Amino acid sequence: MSPPLLPSPDLGLTWRPISVEDIATWHELVQAIEAADEPSERMDPDDLVEELTDGSYKDPARDSLIGIDGDGVARAFGHVWLLPGATLRRVFLWGGVHPDWRGRGIGRQVLRWQTERAHEALEDQSSEVPWRIAVIHQQRLADRSALCAAAGYTAIRWFHDMVRPLGPDAPPIPDIELSAGLEVAPWTDDLDEAVRLAHNEAFANHWGSQPRDAEAWKTWTIDHRTFRRDWSRVVLAPTQPEDGRPAVAGYLSSHAYSQDWEAKGYTQGWVALV
């Protein structure tokens, strides 16, 4: 398979992989895109470093692309994230074009490059495992839907952000009775591995789910800077598994993305996993 074809230089941009040295100009581009599209989550520079480099499977030299104009300003980017997995290979595509540079065909060529790179990456993996290339965007952004549809992508799954106010006028939080023997406990670090294993068991048959290995669990959950251990809880059962680990019946993983708070005008916590 030939290497992915870079977007045309006729678009007025010079293309290269994204490096850590590009974080500042990349973040300016992302902020401009966020201002136009008003996403539910916003990215800060540390988020971009994580997207680019966190994980032994990350390869920014092959899996990222940024388009720079004649003044050295980033105007478009594409990122390809291949998640390792024994039961499902997934490649997530993320990208964007500066609002002032839209309508020129840049997005089509970036998405084409991403799709070709995703196929190239998947060919390097085991052919016996099912694969999926995914693009996630907000449904109200009709231009994104049209772009993906024109590239052959089909909408197959919808997710909802559900918000609950906690102010004085909010409805009361109901009391919940647990079954006998179950106990709500703080999520202490000695429970980290037991919770990971319980998560993998609970989501084994969930749509699109992939078991979390120790590296992914550490990188994106328990050691992630947004994880709020003091907001998170574990439900313990009285039974003792044969392997001696704590019997985790359920859990709640909470995160905070403080970079969103100024734009939203209020503080907010996220239930990331439950």
Side-chain angles (χ1 to χ4, degrees):
M1 182 176 183
S2 58
L5 183 64
L6 292 175
S8 171
D10 295 339
L11 296 171
L13 300 173
T14 301
W15 301 92
R16 66 168 187 258
I18 304 173
S19 70
V20 174
E21 288 72 27
D22 292 315
I23 293 299
T25 189
W26 184 21
H27 186 239
E28 290 178 2
L29 169 60
V30 169
Q31 285 183 307
I33 294 170
E34 291 172 344
D37 297 343
E38 298 182 345
S40 59
E41 299 178 41
R42 295 171 184 264
M43 308 288 282
D44 66 17
D46 289 335
D47 290 324
L48 298 183
V49 173
E50 290 172 355
E51 291 289 330
L52 193 65
T53 64
D54 272 14
S56 61
Y57 47 87
K58 295 290 184 72
D59 187 359
R62 299 182 69 189
D63 296 337
S64 66
L65 189 69
I66 194 165
I68 307 295
D69 69 11
D71 296 322
V73 179
R75 298 299 186 180
F77 77 96
H79 184 260
V80 176
W81 183 10
L82 173 63
L83 284 177
T87 61
L88 175 67
R89 295 173 297 161
R90 294 177 296 169
V91 184
F92 290 96
L93 311 185
W94 175 47
V97 179
H98 191 286
D100 295 343
W101 283 66
R102 293 176 180 176
R104 308 184 190 191
I106 296 173
R108 291 194 300 272
Q109 294 202 25
V110 169
L111 182 56
R112 183 207 63 213
W113 176 87
Q114 291 176 291
T115 304
E116 290 179 2
R117 171 58 195 139
H119 278 279
E120 182 183 55
L122 287 165
E123 285 188 348
D124 295 337
Q125 304 293 315
S126 170
S127 60
E128 298 178 357
V129 178
W131 58 269
R132 180 180 296 130
I133 302 174
V135 181
I136 299 175
H137 70 82
Q138 292 178 292
Q139 187 177 14
R140 61 180 176 79
L141 300 177
D143 59 334
R144 271 2 106 70
S145 296
L147 175 69
C148 293
Y153 288 84
T154 302
I156 61 172
R157 189 76 169 178
W158 286 260
F159 297 88
H160 298 274
D161 289 341
M162 302 180 69
V163 179
R164 191 192 200 285
L166 294 174
D169 298 327
I173 300 175
D175 292 327
I176 303 297
E177 291 283 340
L178 287 179
S179 300
L182 296 179
E183 175 192 1
V184 178
W187 185 335
T188 52
D189 55 8
D190 60 306
L191 293 173
D192 289 344
E193 179 64 5
V195 177
R196 181 183 75 85
L197 296 175
H199 166 87
N200 288 343
E201 292 176 13
F203 283 85
N205 297 316
H206 184 72
W207 182 92
S209 181
Q210 177 69 36
R212 303 285 182 97
D213 62 19
E215 179 188 3
W217 189 249
K218 181 180 178 69
T219 300
W220 297 104
T221 303
I222 57 175
D223 277 2
H224 198 272
R225 60 194 173 82
T226 65
F227 178 54
R228 295 296 185 267
R229 192 178 288 274
D230 55 331
W231 297 356
S232 303
R233 293 293 183 269
V234 177
V235 177
L236 299 175
T239 57
Q240 184 69 36
E242 293 181 0
D243 60 9
R245 61 184 170 90
V248 175
Y251 75 95
L252 169 73
S253 172
S254 298
H255 292 243
Y257 304 92
S258 56
Q259 67 271 22
D260 297 342
W261 295 350
E262 183 176 352
K264 292 178 181 294
Y266 54 85
T267 58
Q268 182 184 58
W270 281 83
V271 174
L273 294 169
V274 64

